Amino acid sequence: MTNEPTCISPSDRLVHARRVMADECIGRLPVVADDELIGMLTSKDFMRAFIAFRKNVSENHQAAQIKNLFVEDTMSHNVLAVTKDMSIDEVANIMIDNGYNGLPVVEDDAVIGIITQTDILALIADLESE
């Protein structure tokens, strides 16, 4: 699990979220309002929004209009989250059953971490090397 992950606000601009993802080499950002998880923005969400934007906004207006896209318009709502007390088996099954590559870890509705498939693979590799 990655502790204290970078989070964004629903009112952040999508270009800011893209910059954060690129700078930190991450594929998902928890969206937090009033210290509570309200959504997730993944690289897939971003790409869908960008493709729709390119189709719907004429090329000569794109540079000006891209600044009008906000996280809240693109993020996934009704996010599945896990707790730090859940077993790796439970977390892995949630990921597999729902097709997710990572999940936020919450405690009292506050995001305290993110667990990804890479984290689980690293754990398996550690166990195999013992």
Side-chain angles (χ1 to χ4, degrees):
M1 174 176 91
T2 300
N3 294 311
E4 299 179 18
T6 301
C7 297
I8 55 173
S9 165
S11 61
D12 284 338
R13 295 182 190 281
L14 204 55
V15 292
H16 168 71
R18 182 208 48 84
R19 192 173 327 111
V20 170
M21 287 176 154
D23 290 349
E24 297 191 22
C25 298
I26 54 177
R28 65 198 48 77
L29 290 165
V31 182
V32 175
D34 298 323
D35 295 323
E36 188 173 315
L37 177 69
I38 63 163
M40 283 289 277
L41 181 70
T42 67
S43 54
K44 285 181 183 179
D45 295 327
F46 180 79
M47 295 308 295
R48 279 189 209 110
F50 185 69
I51 290 167
F53 174 79
R54 299 266 320 220
K55 283 182 180 177
N56 295 318
V57 177
S58 66
E59 193 171 324
N60 55 340
H61 292 102
Q62 287 180 3
Q65 294 294 319
I66 192 111
K67 296 174 185 128
N68 295 327
L69 298 176
F70 292 91
V71 168
E72 64 191 339
D73 300 324
T74 305
M75 69 184 193
S76 299
H77 298 270
N78 302 321
V79 177
L80 288 178
V82 296
T83 65
K84 65 181 181 179
D85 300 326
M86 293 176 80
S87 72
I88 294 298
D89 289 345
E90 289 174 295
V91 173
N93 282 322
I94 291 170
M95 286 182 184
I96 291 166
D97 292 346
N98 294 284
Y100 293 158
N101 296 325
L103 294 166
V105 181
V106 297
E107 184 172 62
D108 299 324
D109 294 324
V111 178
I112 61 167
I114 288 186
I115 188 161
T116 65
Q117 289 177 343
T118 303
D119 296 324
I120 294 172
L121 289 172
L123 175 65
I124 292 167
D126 286 347
L127 292 172
E128 288 178 345
S129 66
E130 291 180 1

